[in-house]
Amino acid sequence: MQPRVIQRILGLLLVVFSLTLLPPAGVGVIYGDVGVRPFLDAFLITLATGFALWWPARRERRELRLRDGFLVAVSFWLVLGLFGAIPLTLATAPHLSVTDAVFESMSGLTTTGATVIVGLDALPKSILFYRQELQWLGGMGIIVLAVAVLPMLGVGGMQLYRAETPGPVKDAKLTPRIAETAKALWYIYLGLTVACAVAYWIAGMDVFDAIAQSFSTVSIGGFSTHDASLGYFRSPEIEGVAIVFMLLAGANFGLHFVALRRMSLRPYLQDAEFRTYFGILAALAVITIGYLYITGHYTHFGTDFRQGLFQAVSLGTTTGFTTAAYHHWPGFLPALLIFASFIGGCAGSTGGGIKVVRFLLLFKQGVRELMRLVHPSGQFAVKIGRRPVDDRVIDAVWGFFAAYVATFSVFMLLLMATGLDQVTAFSAVAACMNNLGPGLGAVGDNYAHLNPYAKWVLSLAMLFGRLEIFTPLVLFTPGFWRR
């Protein structure tokens, strides 16, 4: 362990993060609202703390070790969650407790989208912009951004990238150098954001809403500037734009990179994970639309189609936008949509959940075990596309799944210990660990009424989900701290 190196990196990253507190202040100046001062105060506090951490260790230039990378990843998300809450705590509108501010900040940075704020439509523009900005920064991971910048400052970053990037196969690089990889992903992320904002504007949003909603669409975040989420606009065109960009953001960004480089759609068609991802969402949409039509929940099939398709894509990709109160839908639909979030987006995307490639590997491994029962002497390979998958990768996926189930169970029991019913506790943990946002039961609309203890538990669940369980769990193993 190299504490001084870690201290230097945390200091640098806090200094960088402090700069992100200035755009909301600028928005406040433009719109003349009362939300400017909290951001300026938070900027000074964050900058001073970052500088105080960096200055004593500024001459440390050693490369990060593997264990350092995991510690930095977890530490920085925790630190960001706390410092990101400062302007929300200092603001007079909304008036949030420290617990609520940390919950909102962590929800934004982890792109969960669960909120404790009611009355979004009346809030200052600076606060609304800040919530969206938090999600945009968290979408691809602030650490991935830092990997593109910190090598220029003499800081090695491969371990950070391995600790942060989603997916079971984390050493595959799109370009030879890690900084170039991170930059390539960031340019794609930025390009999608700009395209989404322009599309929203053309579809009828004003400039502020178009930019704000694009931040939370491409990040698969789900925060909105309105209490009614995208349902506020009552626009099929806006919902159509959202569906397209949610689908794109839930796909592997490596695929976008390769497709752009080759100027071809073939990489999407040839990728087994993308085909599975699209197939799952299509099946989910068909079931949702069909059941709404059969039960007569809406009076017109057009409404069934529009609402069913939007909610299926939004919740299936773990974005969390809503245009209808899906938690009041008939029969099994609310539970089905929550369960869909467990699969989530593709590895290497901004989506949450277990990830499609892991789900695919678990399914194929289950099929292989059935085949072995029928043919005990047979040799069966698990393949993704045409490539056999190493058994070590499959073992790692099973290990991840076991850790996920165990962690989920602990968080759910902790919530139930506070007096929450099973449906609320289950869906709240699912929505937070899968970085989805809206749940069922008492958390169908928001999380404002939950007790402080439950909010801290769920904030931790968001962190575990964003860092994919193993990254924070490894810190609790004795071997990690052993010399």
Side-chain angles (χ1 to χ4, degrees):
M1 203 69 66
Q2 303 177 91
R4 298 274 289 180
V5 176
I6 295 171
Q7 176 185 333
R8 176 175 173 268
I9 292 171
L10 286 177
L12 278 173
L13 293 175
L14 267 182
V15 169
V16 172
F17 180 69
S18 71
L19 300 177
T20 67
L21 297 169
L22 296 179
V27 170
V29 171
I30 292 171
Y31 285 92
D33 62 40
V34 295
V36 176
R37 182 62 185 270
F39 289 102
L40 296 178
D41 291 343
F43 163 73
L44 293 174
I45 293 169
T46 306
L47 179 64
T49 305
F51 187 80
L53 285 172
W54 172 78
W55 182 258
R58 65 191 183 280
R59 301 188 189 281
E60 294 288 339
R61 299 283 176 175
R62 287 175 291 176
E63 287 289 314
L64 278 175
R65 296 171 184 162
L66 178 63
R67 285 187 281 186
D68 299 330
F70 282 101
L71 187 59
V72 168
V74 177
S75 299
F76 190 56
W77 280 100
L78 285 172
V79 170
L80 272 191
L82 295 173
F83 278 83
I86 293 176
L88 297 174
T89 306
L90 297 177
T92 55
H95 183 69
L96 299 180
S97 65
V98 172
T99 297
D100 285 347
V102 171
F103 182 94
E104 197 76 11
S105 173
M106 191 67 75
S107 179
L109 286 166
T110 58
T111 71
T112 301
T115 185
V116 293
I117 299 176
V118 180
L120 292 172
D121 299 82
L123 289 183
K125 296 289 188 183
S126 55
I127 294 291
L128 294 176
F129 181 85
Y130 178 61
R131 293 172 74 247
Q132 307 299 109
E133 182 191 42
L134 283 177
Q135 293 212 312
W136 190 71
L137 293 171
M140 278 297 285
I142 295 175
I143 295 179
V144 173
L145 172 63
V147 164
V149 176
L150 293 183
M152 294 185 295
L153 305 175
V155 178
M158 185 62 197
Q159 295 86 345
L160 278 178
Y161 187 72
R162 184 164 62 232
E164 173 66 14
T165 304
V169 186
K170 297 185 179 182
D171 289 325
K173 296 188 286 291
L174 304 175
T175 57
R177 296 184 58 202
I178 189 62
E180 294 173 9
T181 301
K183 287 176 185 175
L185 294 178
W186 194 256
Y187 288 144
I188 293 170
Y189 188 63
L190 179 61
L192 279 177
T193 305
V194 172
C196 183
V198 171
Y200 274 143
W201 177 71
I202 293 173
M205 286 188 185
D206 62 34
V207 173
F208 177 82
D209 272 337
I211 295 172
Q213 309 296 341
S214 70
F215 282 179
S216 53
T217 303
V218 176
S219 68
I220 303 286
F223 271 168
S224 179
T225 53
H226 304 281
D227 285 320
S229 190
L230 289 194
Y232 168 86
F233 300 98
R234 299 186 178 185
S235 167
E237 293 80 12
I238 286 173
E239 292 163 20
V241 169
I243 288 171
V244 170
F245 282 94
M246 287 188 292
L247 285 170
L248 289 173
N252 190 327
F253 273 63
L255 276 181
H256 298 325
F257 177 87
V258 175
L260 284 172
R261 188 168 60 182
R262 297 181 184 174
M263 296 303 292
S264 170
L265 295 177
R266 191 178 296 274
Y268 298 107
L269 302 176
Q270 292 177 336
D271 187 74
E273 184 187 21
F274 182 82
R275 293 198 306 268
T276 305
Y277 162 71
F278 192 82
I280 289 171
L281 290 179
L284 182 65
V286 169
I287 293 170
T288 304
I289 294 166
Y291 196 76
L292 286 173
Y293 176 72
I294 291 170
T295 56
H297 188 72
Y298 296 105
T299 55
H300 301 289
F301 176 74
T303 308
D304 295 325
F305 181 85
R306 177 179 161 188
Q307 299 293 0
L309 177 62
F310 185 89
Q311 264 60 233
V313 174
S314 178
L315 300 177
T317 58
T318 72
T319 308
F321 284 139
T322 56
T323 57
Y326 85 96
H327 53 287
H328 294 314
W329 277 358
F332 66 95
L333 282 186
L336 174 67
L337 292 170
I338 285 289
F339 278 121
S341 73
F342 281 87
I343 301 173
C346 298
S349 75
T350 54
I354 292 173
K355 301 293 185 299
V356 174
V357 69
R358 288 196 183 102
F359 171 79
L360 186 58
L361 285 171
L362 289 172
F363 175 78
K364 292 197 170 192
Q365 170 65 2
V367 171
R368 179 168 74 167
E369 291 304 311
L370 288 176
M371 295 298 292
R372 282 174 171 173
L373 289 175
V374 178
H375 306 285
S377 301
Q379 297 294 322
F380 306 99
V382 172
K383 295 181 179 180
I384 294 292
R386 296 180 180 179
R387 298 180 181 178
V389 179
D390 193 289
D391 283 342
R392 288 177 297 177
V393 173
I394 296 173
D395 291 342
V397 171
W398 276 110
F400 172 87
F401 184 71
Y404 185 96
V405 171
T407 306
F408 184 98
S409 302
V410 170
F411 282 136
M412 180 177 170
L413 291 173
L414 289 174
L415 282 193
M416 290 178 66
T418 69
L420 295 180
D421 62 272
Q422 290 107 323
V423 171
T424 299
F426 175 86
S427 67
V429 175
C432 290
M433 273 189 68
N434 294 332
N435 304 125
L436 169 64
L440 304 176
V443 293
D445 293 318
N446 58 70
Y447 293 69
H449 67 283
L450 295 184
N451 62 75
Y453 170 75
K455 290 172 184 173
W456 283 105
V457 170
L458 291 175
S459 297
L460 194 59
M462 297 176 203
L463 178 71
F464 270 69
R466 185 74 262 175
L467 294 177
E468 303 226 341
I469 311 301
F470 276 139
T471 307
L473 272 185
V474 74
L475 302 186
F476 294 94
T477 61
F480 180 85
W481 301 99
R482 204 172 290 135
R483 287 179 177 273

